[in-house]
Amino acid sequence: MHSWPSPVVPAVPGEAAPLRLHDTASGRTSEVAADRVARMYVCGITPYDTTHLGHAATYLTFDLVYRLLLDAGHEVHYVQNTTDVDDPLFERAERDGVDWKELGDRETDLFREDMETLRVLPPRDYVAATETIDEVVEMVGELLERGTAYVVDPAVDGYADVYYRHRATPDFGYESNYTAAEMAEAFAERGGDPDRAGKEHPLDALLWRVQRPGEPSWPSPWGAGRPGWHIECSAIARNRLGMDFDIQGGGSDLAFPHHEFSAAHAEAATGEGRFARFYVHAAMIGLDGVKMSKSLGNLVRVRELHAQGVEPSVIRLGLAAGHYRQDRSWSDAVLDEARTRAGNWRRAVDRGAGADATAAVADLRARLADDLDTPGALAVVDSWADATLAGDESDPGAGEAVATAVDALLGVWLGDERG
Ligand code: ZN
């Protein structure tokens, strides 16, 4: 599947700081220390509704990671999937009377446009679940061969689905660090099927779902059907990045069960150590202090904001005003502050000469490299803009230098307002 066009990322003079990130599994913040080619996998959307600010915050978080890795001299092999076979997609297609495949393709196109609007760097491999069914079938076969998966007795309800024994790896739970009670609750809430009769244990995860009436299917040795959710990311990531890749990313609601099982499936199938070195999670975005959700009907979509004339850079600055690991709210006040900030920065940059840019850019890099401290990073640029607007002209090339750094490292464009 094609990705989206990449914005140009200018080189920033001076020296990059080594990137440190918080790893959910260890609970520690440490240097990523990737090889020359850094490897990152970020879980993509289920394409049935266009990009809201919660999605945007997640992909913008990993866009910063990408930009900082580039700044530090790495090439980045970035892989993202789209879960274009899943229950929510079928339900929406059914409700709207459209074909699930058309709905998925249309929403994926809208997502690409939104990412391009926000100047998000595209993944090298943008992969649809429907393109990788053979990879899933292969991995389910490996898990069955190793005795880490089983077929449910069809006498139970007529469907011989394949499930994963959740205790198959010795350290299951290491990624999320959830307690048994937290696992049970999250599994039920986030797409699991604890009450499915015929499973050995409520937490065992679906690997292959035999076709039900009206559902799409693909051939497999266990009958026509479709993949479970976690195995999809497991197979896509392993086959493109190998095991022990640098960063597995996504929203914090993916820490369990999705990332735990994606990791466990690949570890059980290969026996080759851990799936990823860092598990990085972006927090949730609310609206005016209330959780943003489809059921509450309070989603703020990137497309709608943009149509109302909100600059993409203002959306980026609004979301970056809080730390990526902190649940936070979008509001008119956040939007106003971001607009004011973008205006100040642009006025300062347009002066040409300004306060010392070398020190400001070094501080900006240092803040971002410290587990993406965006509030600190924005404060650095605010101080530089304030000093410049107060009349400091000590650095003749400051405007261009700061604009370049803000563009490359924050993805914030301070040239002419556009789009
Ligand atoms: Zn995933």
Side-chain angles (χ1 to χ4, degrees), residues 308-311 314 317 334-344:
Q308 290 158 18
V310 179
E311 248 192 288
V314 167
L317 286 172
V334 169
L335 178 59
D336 288 345
E337 186 189 72
R339 272 204 181 107
T340 304
R341 175 169 274 133
N344 282 345

Side-chain angles (χ1 to χ4, degrees), residues 255-295:
F256 192 92
H258 185 56
H259 287 171
E260 193 78 63
F261 276 106
S262 294
H265 293 340
E267 289 159 9
T270 62
E272 289 170 14
R274 287 201 171 175
F275 186 52
R277 297 178 50 242
F278 283 73
Y279 297 88
V280 180
H281 294 108
M284 299 288 111
I285 303 296
L287 178 67
D288 299 320
V290 180
K291 185 181 152 73
M292 219 182 265
S293 75
K294 279 174 200 81
S295 50

Side-chain angles (χ1 to χ4, degrees), residues 41-44 81 83 229-230 232-234 248-249 254 258-259 262:
Y41 185 90
V42 178
C43 291
N81 70 311
T83 303
W229 176 28
H230 320 307
E232 166 196 335
C233 287
S234 221
Q248 154 82 85
L254 296 187
H258 185 56
H259 287 171
S262 294

